[in-house]
Amino acid sequence: MDVVTGKWKCLILWELHAHGTRRFGELRRGLPGVSEKMLIQHLREMEADGLVHREVYREVPPKVEYSLTDDGRSLNEALSPLGAWGTARIERIGAERVPLA
């Protein structure tokens, strides 16, 4: 459970699953409300845990891309029922959905 602690890690997994390889700015726009500091922290932790691959391109300006590893994809599959439960709960209680980018 330690690899998915924090508000944003599951959402990062789902964002990368839905859109594939993403640059930092694309991830940030796809996760409304996340601060730059928090996104950086979670991406570093997820990279250390082997869930996210960080590719740095040696060019000016520097280009960095993030993608899911095999472990990240398998964790995302394991969390899929949780996402379905959340969607059903939103509909059941009539909560507002956060718009997806």
Side-chain angles (χ1 to χ4, degrees), residues 12 31 38 44 59 70 74 82 90:
I12 293 168
L31 300 167
M38 190 57 60
R44 285 181 181 158
E59 55 187 52
D70 289 340
S74 67
L82 179 61
I90 285 170

Side-chain angles (χ1 to χ4, degrees), residues 26-45:
E26 293 170 324
L27 272 174
R28 187 152 183 227
R29 284 189 296 277
L31 300 167
V34 68
S35 69
E36 185 173 329
K37 177 185 173 187
M38 190 57 60
L39 183 55
I40 290 168
Q41 178 183 333
H42 281 322
L43 286 169
R44 285 181 181 158
E45 291 172 5

Side-chain angles (χ1 to χ4, degrees), residues 73-90:
R73 282 187 285 280
S74 67
L75 176 58
N76 204 30
E77 289 174 22
L79 292 172
S80 183
L82 179 61
W85 177 86
T87 300
R89 183 171 189 275
I90 285 170

Side-chain angles (χ1 to χ4, degrees), residues 5-23:
T5 57
K7 176 180 178 179
W8 298 102
K9 287 184 180 178
C10 289
L11 298 173
I12 293 168
L13 284 172
W14 290 333
E15 180 73 12
L16 288 172
H17 173 77
H19 299 286
T21 301
R22 305 284 277 185
R23 294 180 70 174

Side-chain angles (χ1 to χ4, degrees), residues 53-67:
H53 173 72
R54 181 177 185 260
E55 183 74 31
V56 179
Y57 296 91
R58 305 281 179 211
E59 55 187 52
V60 178
K63 177 180 170 183
V64 179
E65 292 181 336
Y66 296 90
S67 59

